[in-house]
Amino acid sequence: MNMNLANHWSKTVFDLICEQDISIVSFVPDAGLSQLIDLCVSHEGIQTVRLTSEEEGISLAMGTWLGGKKSLLLMQSSGVGNCINMLSMLNTCQVPLPMIVTMRGDWGEFNPWQVPMGQGAEHVLKEMGVTTFRAQKNDEVAECAEGAIRFAFNTYRPTAVLIDQRVLGAKTFGR
């Protein structure tokens, strides 16, 4: 699914990140998030942190919040499984953290290994006290992101925007 940046949800979400004074964006590289990651990396006012595991992003967010700044975590749905225990600490410690999660293992998925966590990601997030917002169309992503970012920082809770594979286009790798 090709879309120029002027029509892509990444630009609007990037503008929200700047507008909300989010100064640290952490991520595990993901093709579905690459345009947003590129925008954040190229902006001088945002410090980006490339993670080796998504759970590091939770720790980073807690330290960032304790230091008086805001952060955001970008990951793929398979990464939700890597940070279940750390997610539970966000509500206990009242640390706001908006997350943007690109989904795998649902619409059009070709890789059976992606299905279990893709099907379970939203349930796991909710069980760990993360409020979720699901974008199933391109024009819903920015609205969900705005709601999730505001909700997180206004109520001191973790939130996640789940971007459906219908928005991103299913990876096929020729299959």
Side-chain angles (χ1 to χ4, degrees):
M1 179 175 298
N2 271 337
M3 186 176 297
N4 69 30
L5 196 54
N7 298 329
H8 196 269
W9 55 264
S10 291
K11 177 66 173 113
T12 306
V13 172
F14 173 75
D15 291 343
L16 286 167
I17 291 169
C18 295
E19 183 183 299
Q20 290 292 313
D21 292 324
I22 295 172
S23 58
I24 297 180
V25 174
S26 61
F27 59 90
V28 172
D30 174 57
L33 293 164
S34 63
Q35 291 175 300
L36 180 57
I37 290 170
D38 289 346
L39 287 167
C40 293
V41 167
S42 65
H43 191 272
E44 288 183 21
I46 297 174
Q47 181 179 356
T48 55
V49 180
R50 190 177 305 255
L51 307 168
T52 57
S53 175
E54 293 80 0
E55 66 184 327
E56 296 169 346
I58 307 291
S59 301
L60 181 66
M62 294 181 86
T64 301
W65 183 248
L66 291 173
K69 295 187 176 186
K70 297 177 180 177
S71 69
L72 180 133
L73 174 60
L74 307 172
M75 69 174 119
Q76 188 182 75
S77 57
S78 57
V80 172
N82 294 337
C83 54
I84 294 171
N85 189 42
M86 296 298 287
L87 286 169
S88 69
M89 295 172 62
L90 292 169
N91 260 334
T92 302
C93 298
Q94 295 185 312
V95 173
L97 175 61
M99 296 171 270
I100 297 180
V101 180
T102 55
M103 296 304 295
R104 292 287 309 267
D106 60 12
W107 181 86
E109 181 63 58
F110 86 97
N111 184 347
W113 291 100
Q114 291 286 348
V115 174
M117 199 62 233
Q119 293 295 309
E122 187 168 12
H123 301 292
V124 167
L125 287 164
K126 286 182 177 181
E127 287 296 320
M128 293 299 107
V130 178
T131 302
T132 61
F133 301 83
R134 192 160 188 125
Q136 296 181 323
K137 296 179 182 171
N138 186 59
D139 60 356
E140 294 175 346
V141 177
E143 182 180 317
C144 286
E146 182 174 8
I149 290 169
R150 291 185 189 281
F151 189 91
F153 292 114
N154 288 340
T155 66
Y156 308 107
R157 299 173 193 274
T159 60
V161 175
L162 307 178
I163 303 175
D164 198 276
Q165 274 188 288
R166 282 176 275 206
V167 174
L168 304 166
K171 295 177 182 175
T172 63
F173 297 99
R175 293 184 177 204

